[in-house]
Amino acid sequence: MSRPAEEIHVQIFSCGGTIDKVYFDAKSEYEVGEPQIATIFRTANVTFAYSIESLFRKDSLEMQVEDRALIRQRIEACSGRYVLLTHGTDTMPETACALGGIPDKVIVLTGSMTPARFQVSDAEFNIGCAVGALWSQPPGVYIAMNGRVFSGLNVRKNREAGRFEELA
């Protein structure tokens, strides 16, 4: 299905997480750096319009209720229909639940288990899957990870297996 050009704009909000981490030594000391999604989109030569706003640079384990409230506020305030949120994987389901009920928007959260700066990373694959979910899903909140699109309200991270799964 072809979409009018004015509809094809993605608002991206970056929150940090592993996808944007920069490691400095073998002891795994890190900081969350600049959003990597702009580099990934340039490399992939995407053909739709997008805007990127960095909300904060945090590991998702450091996120608080106030952070999720800010994310919700910024998503509600944006005029676009398509919202992509890069986010740390550890608390992605909690943020998805905090975004439930926002009308008329397709909101997709994604991230990675390894930093986008690494030569081998799941970041590009997950972002590509998330973009596909933006175009194919009805309004709602979703998590795109591990080659799957999950309802944001019915998913968990299985830390032992290193993947996301639907809740039973």
Side-chain angles (χ1 to χ4, degrees):
M1 177 174 96
S2 181
R3 300 183 193 290
E6 63 274 7
E7 268 192 52
I8 303 178
H9 180 275
V10 176
Q11 177 60 56
I12 301 163
F13 293 106
S14 170
C15 298
T18 298
I19 197 167
D20 295 330
K21 283 184 180 175
V22 180
Y23 284 86
F24 296 102
D25 63 26
K27 295 178 186 174
S28 296
E29 291 184 23
Y30 71 89
E31 69 180 35
V32 178
E34 291 288 326
Q36 293 300 294
I37 194 163
T39 302
I40 291 168
F41 274 7
R42 265 192 314 275
T43 304
N45 199 27
V46 300
T47 59
F48 55 85
Y50 60 91
S51 303
I52 301 171
E53 180 179 339
S54 180
L55 298 178
F56 32 79
R57 296 181 190 175
K58 289 187 173 187
D59 185 291
S60 70
L61 291 172
E62 298 172 0
M63 290 180 70
Q64 303 294 316
V65 171
E66 303 82 36
D67 298 321
R68 290 183 175 88
L70 173 64
I71 294 168
R72 184 179 180 96
Q73 176 187 19
R74 294 300 301 135
I75 290 173
E76 288 176 328
C78 80
S79 60
R81 174 186 170 126
Y82 303 105
V83 178
L84 180 59
L85 181 66
T86 61
H87 192 288
T89 60
D90 283 311
T91 65
M92 198 180 283
E94 288 88 333
T95 299
C97 286
L99 300 175
I102 297 176
D104 302 321
K105 294 189 187 293
V106 182
I107 303 165
V108 181
L109 289 78
T110 195
S112 63
M113 301 290 187
T114 54
R117 288 175 174 84
F118 283 17
Q119 184 175 3
V120 177
S121 173
D122 56 332
E124 291 179 7
F125 184 78
N126 290 334
I127 287 172
C129 186
V131 169
L134 283 173
W135 307 145
S136 63
Q137 298 298 315
V141 181
Y142 304 91
I143 291 178
M145 290 290 297
N146 310 112
R148 295 190 55 198
V149 178
F150 301 93
S151 162
L153 308 178
N154 191 39
V155 65
R156 73 178 189 103
K157 179 180 177 182
N158 180 331
R159 286 175 179 80
E160 294 76 35
R163 64 175 180 249
F164 279 72
E165 304 170 334
E166 284 183 275
L167 294 173

